[in-house]
Amino acid sequence: MSLIVQKFGGTSVKDAKRLMNVANIVTQKYKEGNDVVVVVSAQGDTTDDLIEKAAEINSNPSKREMDMLLSSGEQISASLLAMAIQKLGCPSVSLTGWQAGFSTTSVHTSARIKDVNPERIRSELDSKKIVVVTGFQGLSKYDDITTLGRGGSDTSAVAIAAAMHADLCQIYTDVEGVFTADPRKVPNAKKLKEISYDEMLELATLGAQVLNNRSVEMAKKYNIELEVLSSLTNKPGTIVKEKVKMEKMLISGVAKDTDVARVSITRIPDQPGIAFKLFSSLAAKNINVDVILQSIGRGDDTKDIAFTVPKDKGKEALKTVEDFANNYDAGEVQFDDNVAKISIVGAGMESHAGVAAKMFEALFEQQINIRMISTSEIKVSVIIAKDDADKAVSAIHNKFFPKAT
Ligand code: ADP
Ligand code: ASP
Ligand code: MG
């Protein structure tokens, strides 16, 4: 007998028919003699709809109340799924995040899981029930409901798998696994049989929303092997694990992130401590800076710096940099949120020269201008105009995964 954690995303539970489909998948594993814990997201676009409802009332709602509101989406799907399972003749109980023992930090709308106390889940499993847990939520030390940030249900599932030492953690979604690019945008993208935690973490962080990046971080930390697969087809998915067989692939995927804004400042003094002062004033406001570009100094002892930030921090970053520019009598400050970050990820690039050049060639062939570049051992990212983003992803994908093969 094994303990299996299965997570189902919004599309997989979007209506009664899909819920019955999920109930069939879940009860099959149960009838094979396994303990089954199911984690669910809110149905379809429920979370977006709830955010819209809040905006109709208040354009700047309190984050605590947002969590109270958003967590209700998962409560609906969890209770409905428990009813669907019961209809198929199996005992089931649904639990909210706090009933399931999730303690989180108290940062509303983007809380982090601190601990999962699985006592209640364990006792329900011991009484032979299929346990359905609401994803995406927990309880702060002030006994307030918190949510884990968009896509957080993946992390809820991995956290339960880690806390209960599950034998298998399956993330069911609306595509058949992790692909070399978003299969909805790049139809010839290939499904990967397996991918390492490190590569998946980069892909998820760089925009491939098929898995939430925190869930991958946690899976790596606790060595939980994940399977990403479709709830709609009965096919093997992608295994995410520590070490994968080296395939002859230079890269494992291309990702796109349009949640980026670019800020630049010209003619700042070319002297020690300037970067430190600029970026510490951004850090003080909790603004995460990503790609950074610094020019070489000019003859007049000035230089330029450009960097990217998440789009929702764009305006705050702009204000901070404008203040900085005034203090240092710098040149122009520019802001652009019509940009996208396109990245390639692959452990293969560590040992192969020319991977970045191949990416740049694909962009050149489409006459797409690169505005910034950043690299690490296993990724190369470029910042380009947002309008070119989809064309760039396809061109880069075709370069590394030619259509004929
Ligand atoms: P769920 O609701 O099941 O959590 P998500 O919408 O969060 O599903 O994630 C699944 C989606 O991720 C897919 O529909 C697909 O469009 C998108 N996606 C982006 N990049 C990739 C990729 N490299 N491989 C697979 N899917 C991807
Ligand atoms: N329902 C939440 C969202 O839409 C959490 C999740 O789906 O993982 O972001
Ligand atoms: Mg998701």
Side-chain angles (χ1 to χ4, degrees), residues 26 78 108 112 119 122 173 177 284 287 324 379:
V26 168
H108 284 290
R112 279 186 174 261
E119 243 171 69
R122 183 81 270 162
T173 181
I287 301 173
F324 188 87
K379 68 140 209 230

Side-chain angles (χ1 to χ4, degrees), residues 7-10 40-48 70 73-74 135-136 149-155 212:
K7 178 258 168 177
F8 294 87
V40 285
S41 293
Q43 292 184 286
D45 295 329
T46 302
T47 309
D48 290 327
L70 297 189
E74 271 68 12
F136 175 59
R150 299 305 305 266
S153 298
D154 297 337
T155 315
N212 179 278

Side-chain angles (χ1 to χ4, degrees), residues 7 9-10 172-175 177-179 181-184 208-210:
K7 178 258 168 177
Y172 280 92
T173 181
D174 55 5
V175 288
V178 180
F179 285 69
D182 185 341
R184 295 189 193 285
Q209 90 265 30
V210 62

